[in-house]
Amino acid sequence: MGMKIYSERFPIKYLFSEKGICLGVDTKKRSFLLILSSLGIMFRKRPVGDKVVESLNYEIDRIFFAIKDETKPEDTFS
C-alpha cells in the first residue's frame, strides 16, 4: 500500500496517491469529480453527497472503473 494524502473538510476535496490525482468540488446542487491517472482523465457530474471515493477506500483505480461503468451519457463532459 502506497501513501495517500487526502482532505474532505472543505467544498474542494482532493486525493493524491501514487496511482494519480482525484479532485472534487461540491456545490449545493451538484458535485464534480476529476480523476487524472494512468488509466486516463475523467471529469464527471456526481450527486450531492456522493460517497464513491470513501466507499472505495480512496483507491483511484477502483474509483475510476466504478464511475466509468455507471456513467450515463448525460453525466459526461467533453
Side-chain angles (χ1 to χ4, degrees):
M1 179 168 137
M3 184 172 70
K4 296 177 199 168
I5 300 170
Y6 60 90
S7 172
E8 294 187 340
R9 297 179 61 191
F10 303 105
I12 298 175
K13 298 165 180 10
Y14 59 85
L15 165 61
F16 300 104
S17 80
E18 73 280 352
K19 299 285 186 169
I21 298 170
C22 181
L23 302 172
V25 176
D26 289 334
T27 68
K28 290 182 180 184
K29 295 184 179 184
R30 183 70 62 193
S31 292
F32 299 93
L33 192 62
L34 172 67
I35 300 174
L36 306 165
S37 76
S38 60
L39 298 170
I41 299 170
M42 183 183 299
F43 182 66
R44 298 289 194 261
K45 292 188 296 185
R46 303 292 298 164
V48 174
D50 183 54
K51 300 287 185 192
V52 68
V53 174
E54 299 93 330
S55 65
L56 294 173
N57 199 31
Y58 303 93
E59 295 292 335
I60 289 178
D61 291 350
R62 292 177 65 201
I63 298 163
F64 185 95
F65 285 119
I67 292 172
K68 181 180 179 215
D69 291 344
E70 72 181 23
T71 301
K72 300 175 192 83
E74 63 268 16
D75 292 335
T76 305
F77 291 95
S78 298

